[in-house]
Amino acid sequence: MNHTRTRTRTRRTGAAAAAALVLARIVTAAGPAAAAPSCTPRIQVLGSIGTGGYSVGNEQTEGVLGLGTGSLSVGVSGGKPVYWTGTRLHKVPLSDAGLSGAVLAVNKSGLMVGVTHGADDYLFTYRAGDAAVTRLPGSDWLSDDADVNDAGYVVSRTRPGVGTVWKDGLKVRDLAVPADAAPGTRIELVSGINNKGDVIGMAREDYEVPETGQHLEGSYPVLWPADGGPAKALSRTSNDSWVQDIDESGRVVGYDWYGMGYQFRPVTWTAPYTGPVGAPGALKTHPYGTFEAVSPTTGVSVGTARFHPDIQTLPDQAQLWTGTGPVLALPRLAANGASAASSAADDGRVGGAAVNAAGTLKPVIWTCATKQAYEPK
């Protein structure tokens, strides 16, 4: 679960593989959230190695993508996979220094999952202090979506267009498309797993129905239940519904796409997924927006409010929704400086990136985020 973004891992065959799946199904879901400790609302600027600014669609060169226990956070800086202890930056050791990438998520025990790009694309796991990363088998495919839960199960998409679950560095399960999916449907991304073991992702169809000539094309959200039951397609309200994260109650967050550029609308799906798709609306000052993450148990969703890239009336702005009322803005680091939120934790932290007064994009954490959030005029 991306509680970190969370949003913000011995070969097993036969009975051993089955045992691994049983274990995945019985991981205890987190209980009610404890009261958040008192904290001081502020924007904490973390160490960075990048010097670039913010451009629409390219904010992932810098940013806090996952929030771990204590002072640990993970993400990307200068286009490289990194993690932080407090504000101090640490590079993840890669075998090829020329590779770029990011750490996408981290669980409560400090197990990170990340991705590399360049001459060699693959997913990896890593713990602070290890001499090298652990490459996940079968992950040699460009995918910027992955997650890890507190039991160490890692999820993502693999080359054949299917979803995959790994544990202790080895594959333990494939995630197939729903049984009633159109022929040729493939898994486009797998983006989240909660501690119960529910997995969420997205399937893409491109099929012409022979009997009618109807062309089915688009993406839709899919949930793979923790009990190993069949994949379930979630409702969609546009031809492209993207899911990003899932919390312990099964609440799923993401966004629908409605047109060219960044014409997104933040949406939510609530278990048992029989009711209408939730649509909290856009930030008052922006026509479009996304939800990128939801906190594990407190129901706080975060993302980015946007304009179309060709009509940038206002810069992008990090946004937050508590689950009721309007979508709220998070303070900018500098006046008229763009910002984006990518991760949320139960202790009130929200991670992301923001432009400072010098025009440089910085990884940041909003502490006591709900106390800082406001409804813009």
Side-chain angles (χ1 to χ4, degrees), residues 314-338:
L314 289 172
D316 292 353
Q317 185 160 11
Q319 63 181 15
L320 177 151
W321 186 54
T322 63
T324 61
V327 174
L328 304 174
L330 286 170
R332 299 181 185 276
L333 185 58
N336 298 318

Side-chain angles (χ1 to χ4, degrees), residues 238-249:
S238 80
N239 202 41
D240 283 285
S241 294
W242 295 69
V243 291
Q244 295 296 91
D245 201 8
I246 182 170
D247 74 3
E248 300 307 329
S249 73

